[in-house]
């Protein structure tokens, strides 16, 4: 009987491995510590440690969205975390969430993910010919 429990325990430990790896990678890339994330979430540091050690995932998808916003992730990165925690992608939660904090987090994530209008205008101007700089080949030959 004890062997079965150990097998179940090890499979549960592996269940959220991808979530743990992604969360750890985002923290590491940004030079952040689990204790910092726990303070931002106002939760016990052991909760974040459990997520990072594959023991559990955040209990609600809203928490994953808030974590993504705290880490300033883009929508695709948030979706990766949600899916790794076995939740639906952000688009699904943005339609059904009633939590104001989650709605705000979703808006912030979507803003970061949208291409900046000023960038697209700059690109268009940069690649379009400037009429003042165009020259007439006949005028150049005469000069």
């Amino acid at each position: 009987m004890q062997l079965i429990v150990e097998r179940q325990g090890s499979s549960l430990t592996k269940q959220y491995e991808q979530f743990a790896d992604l969360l750890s990678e985002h923290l590491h890339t940004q030079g952040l510590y689990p204790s910092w994330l726990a303070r931002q979430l106002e939760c016990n540091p052991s909760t974040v440690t459990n997520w990072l050690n594959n023991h559990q995932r955040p209990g609600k998808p809203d928490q994953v969205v808030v974590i993504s916003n705290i880490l300033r992730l883009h929508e695709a990165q948030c979706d990766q975390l949600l899916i790794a925690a076995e939740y639906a992608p952000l688009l699904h939660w943005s339609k059904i969430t009633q939590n104001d904090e989650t709605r705000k987090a979703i808006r912030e994530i979507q803003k970061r993910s949208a291409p900046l209008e000023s960038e697209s205008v700059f690109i268009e101007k940069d690649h379009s010919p400037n009429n003042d700089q165009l020259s007439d080949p006949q005028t150049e030959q005469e000069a």
Side-chain angles (χ1 to χ4, degrees):
M1 183 72 166
Q2 194 172 24
L3 181 61
I4 293 172
V5 172
E6 288 175 4
R7 282 188 189 162
Q8 287 176 341
S10 66
S11 68
L12 286 175
T13 300
K14 296 281 187 197
Q15 187 172 2
Y16 304 117
E17 186 174 4
Q18 187 181 10
F19 175 81
D21 290 346
L22 285 170
L23 182 58
S24 178
E25 180 183 324
H26 290 302
L27 288 171
H28 178 74
T29 301
Q30 297 181 37
L32 303 172
Y33 294 95
S35 57
W36 176 86
L37 182 58
R39 281 193 304 275
Q40 301 305 306
L41 293 168
E42 298 177 356
C43 72
N44 192 316
S46 66
T47 301
V48 176
T49 300
N50 282 335
W51 297 339
L52 293 170
N53 291 331
N54 311 327
H55 296 303
Q56 64 188 83
R57 64 178 178 175
K60 298 178 182 176
D62 294 32
Q63 287 179 300
V64 178
V65 172
V66 170
I67 291 166
S68 297
N69 190 43
I70 289 169
L71 295 176
R72 303 192 53 76
L73 302 180
H74 292 275
E75 192 169 348
Q77 295 167 314
C78 178
D79 282 347
Q80 287 177 330
L81 274 181
L82 283 163
I83 292 166
E86 298 182 355
Y87 293 122
L90 188 64
L91 182 62
H92 173 78
W93 300 112
S94 65
K95 293 178 183 178
I96 65 169
T97 188
Q98 299 299 315
N99 182 313
D100 288 338
E101 183 181 15
T102 305
R103 284 186 200 167
K104 181 181 174 189
I106 290 169
R107 282 193 302 273
E108 292 297 318
I109 291 167
Q110 289 173 333
K111 274 192 230 176
R112 275 193 297 278
S113 301
L116 297 175
E117 195 172 305
S118 61
E119 284 180 7
S120 61
V121 170
F122 175 75
I123 291 169
E124 287 173 19
K125 287 181 181 177
D126 192 34
H127 290 292
S128 63
N130 184 343
N131 290 336
D132 296 336
Q133 294 177 352
L134 293 178
S135 59
D136 182 10
Q138 287 181 341
T139 309
E140 286 182 8
Q141 287 177 351
E142 293 172 5

